[in-house]
Amino acid sequence: MTSADNRAKAVMRAYADNLRPPPVADIIARADDTPAAQQLSATAPPRFRGHLVLATASVAAAVAGVAVVVAWLPDQGTTGATGAPQPSASTAAVRMAPACPPDLPVLEGPFAADGKAARPSAEPGQQLTLPAKITVTESDRRLLTFQVYLLPSGADMNERDQAVARTAVMEVSPNQARISPVLQIPTGLAPGAYDLVGYATFPSPSLCGVANKADSTQVGTIWGVLGSVVIE
Amino acid sequence: MTELKCPERGNPDRDEAAFEDLYRRTYGGLLALAVATVRNRSLAEDLVHDAYAQLWRHWASVTQPAAWLRRAVVSNCLKSLRTQRRREAIIRRQATVPVTTAPDDKAFLDLLAGLSERQRLAVTLRYVLGLHEAEIASVLGCRPGTVKSTLHRAVRVLRARMEDEPS
C-alpha cells in the first residue's frame, strides 16, 4: 500500500470515527413502534401531523327536525380539540379514553405513520390498498363510515376540497375489525409528499361517560392524518 | 473484522446490552458506508437506523449480527438508490432547492467523487470496515474476483487524488 493509499484510508477512517450514534433507546423505540419512534431523526419528513377530533351533529339531524348540538371535546394533550388543526411533526395518535368518541382506524403497511417505512412511495396512476385496523369501541359509538383523502403535505386537512384523490365512502359494519379502502392515484399527479387523511363518522355526541340515545340520528365526524406517501 | 460473540439469547437485559455494544462499535463504519453509497447524510442515517431497528426486531434469531447488519445496510442503500434515480429524473425537470452539505461530509464525499456506486461500496468496506475481499464479496453478492478488480480501479482513483494533494 502506498502512502497515498494510507492517507485515503486514514481520511475515510477518521470520518467514520467521528460519526456519533443517537441513543440506542431511539433505535429500540423505532423497532418497537413506540411514540418515540415518530420523533427519531429530525431530518426525516414529518409523517404524522396530529389528530383533531370535532364532534358535531350532522345536517341530516336538522332535516329530521332534531336540534343541532355541537359537542366540544376536552384537549387530549398534543392534539387540538377545537378550531383549526394544529399540525405537529411528531407524536402518535392520541388514544381516547374508553366511552369517549371513537378513534380513526389505524393504517397498517408501508404508508402508516409508524416510522417503519424508510420512504413510502407510489407512482401516478397507481392504485393503493390501505389496510387499516378498526379500534374496538363501545357498541353505541362504533364508526359508521370511513374514507381516506390524499392531500398535499402541509395543506389544511380541514379543506377536503383540496384533496387530489379520495377513496369511496365505506360503510363500517358492527364488530368489523379491519377495513381496506382503495385509493386511485391520479395519473399526472405532481411529484412530492402527500398526506393520507382519514375521515370517519360515528354516532354523535358520544361524550365520555354518557350513553348515546338509541334512536339518535346525530352524526359526529373525526379526521386526522393516518400516514403519508411520496409520489414519484 | 471480528464478529461480536452473542451471549445466549433470551435474557432481555443481556440482549439489550449486547445490542447496544454492537451498535456503538459498528455505527460509525456503517453510517460512513451508507453516506458513501447514497451520498446524502440524512438519508444515510435513516437507512442505517432502519437496519439497526430491523436487527433488533430479529435479534433472537440472528447468529452473526455484524455481518447481517452490513448486508442490511447495503441492501437498504441500493434499494434507496433505485428509487432515488427515478425521483431525480422527475425533479430535474423542476426547480430544485440547493442542498447544503456539512464540511466533514463534503470532504468524505469529495474523496469518493467520480467512483461508481459499486466502487464506493467496495472501497468503504475495505478501508473503513476493514473487510477482506471474500467478506466484501459476501456483502455485495458477487465473486471475490469482481471485488478485486473493483477495488483495484477504485484505489487507483483515490491514489491519484491523494497524490495530487499536499501531504
Side-chain angles (χ1 to χ4, degrees):
Chain A
M1 203 183 246
T2 68
S3 66
D5 295 347
N6 284 330
R7 274 192 286 134
K9 186 174 171 180
V11 166
M12 293 178 72
R13 282 219 157 144
Y15 174 75
D17 288 344
N18 280 328
L19 296 171
R20 294 280 167 261
V24 73
D26 290 354
I27 300 294
I28 290 175
R30 189 175 179 122
D32 293 344
D33 287 337
T34 61
Q38 307 276 344
Q39 298 173 24
L40 183 67
S41 178
T43 54
R47 298 204 192 100
F48 192 81
R49 291 177 160 273
H51 192 143
L52 172 69
V53 175
L54 175 66
T56 77
S58 78
V59 171
V63 168
V66 175
V68 172
V69 173
V70 175
W72 298 98
L73 299 171
D75 193 289
Q76 293 293 325
T78 58
T79 64
T82 64
Q86 295 162 23
S88 73
S90 60
T91 77
V94 172
R95 295 282 176 249
M96 295 296 172
C100 293
D103 265 337
L104 282 166
V106 177
L107 207 58
E108 295 171 321
F111 305 104
D114 63 359
K116 264 194 209 152
R119 289 288 184 269
S121 59
E123 294 179 354
Q126 190 176 339
Q127 201 174 63
L128 301 184
T129 301
L130 305 170
K133 189 173 171 184
I134 297 174
T135 308
V136 174
T137 60
E138 303 286 334
S139 60
D140 72 328
R141 57 200 63 201
R142 62 174 185 82
L143 291 182
L144 300 173
T145 63
F146 179 59
Q147 187 177 22
V148 176
Y149 292 81
L150 189 68
L151 280 163
S153 187
D156 183 343
M157 63 178 173
N158 289 316
E159 301 294 331
R160 282 176 285 136
D161 298 342
Q162 291 187 27
V164 296
R166 62 196 68 193
T167 67
V169 177
M170 300 178 78
E171 285 197 17
V172 182
S173 307
N175 300 317
Q176 185 171 343
R178 289 197 137 74
I179 193 162
S180 294
V182 175
L183 182 71
Q184 179 67 51
I185 309 288
T187 53
L189 183 63
Y194 292 81
D195 290 333
L196 295 162
V197 179
Y199 184 88
T201 60
F202 58 91
S204 177
S206 290
L207 296 174
C208 301
V210 179
N212 286 323
K213 290 183 182 163
D215 58 351
S216 171
T217 57
Q218 296 180 7
V219 173
T221 52
I222 177 174
W223 61 94
V225 175
L226 303 179
S228 63
V229 60
V230 173
I231 302 297
E232 303 184 316
Chain B
M1 181 181 221
T2 48
E3 182 62 64
L4 178 71
K5 292 255 184 280
C6 298
E8 60 197 68
R9 311 283 180 169
N11 181 315
D13 292 336
R14 276 201 287 200
D15 280 349
E16 199 166 313
F19 177 78
E20 181 165 4
D21 185 48
L22 173 77
Y23 173 65
R24 293 198 179 287
R25 284 214 251 154
T26 58
Y27 183 85
L30 291 176
L31 181 56
L33 179 66
V35 171
T37 311
V38 301
R39 294 185 287 189
N40 179 304
R41 171 72 175 262
S42 67
L43 173 59
E45 284 173 342
D46 205 21
L47 297 170
V48 167
H49 296 164
D50 266 352
Y52 279 108
Q54 287 158 19
L55 173 63
W56 178 242
R57 275 189 224 115
H58 297 103
W59 184 252
S61 56
V62 173
T63 52
Q64 294 184 309
W68 192 99
L69 267 175
R70 289 192 292 265
R71 282 193 295 271
V73 167
V74 170
S75 169
N76 287 355
C77 288
L78 293 179
K79 240 185 283 185
S80 173
L81 277 178
R82 283 194 287 272
T83 308
Q84 210 169 299
R85 272 191 277 269
R86 276 182 287 163
R87 191 173 300 145
E88 278 166 7
I90 295 166
I91 289 173
R92 259 201 294 275
R93 286 183 240 133
Q94 303 170 347
T96 52
V97 175
V99 174
T100 54
T101 307
D104 285 352
D105 295 335
K106 188 175 184 313
F108 179 67
L109 292 172
D110 283 349
L111 180 63
L112 301 173
L115 297 183
S116 71
E117 170 189 303
R118 190 169 280 275
Q119 287 170 344
R120 297 196 305 273
L121 272 164
V123 80
T124 310
L125 287 166
R126 181 91 176 100
Y127 277 2
V128 177
L129 279 78
L131 302 192
H132 55 67
E133 281 161 14
E135 289 172 319
I136 296 172
S138 164
V139 174
L140 298 184
C142 61
R143 291 175 300 133
T146 306
V147 171
K148 191 168 181 166
S149 57
T150 302
L151 274 174
H152 177 73
R153 283 192 286 270
V155 167
R156 219 170 43 201
V157 171
L158 289 183
R159 191 177 293 155
R161 191 158 286 150
M162 296 311 285
E163 281 167 355
D164 283 346
E165 290 184 11
S167 302

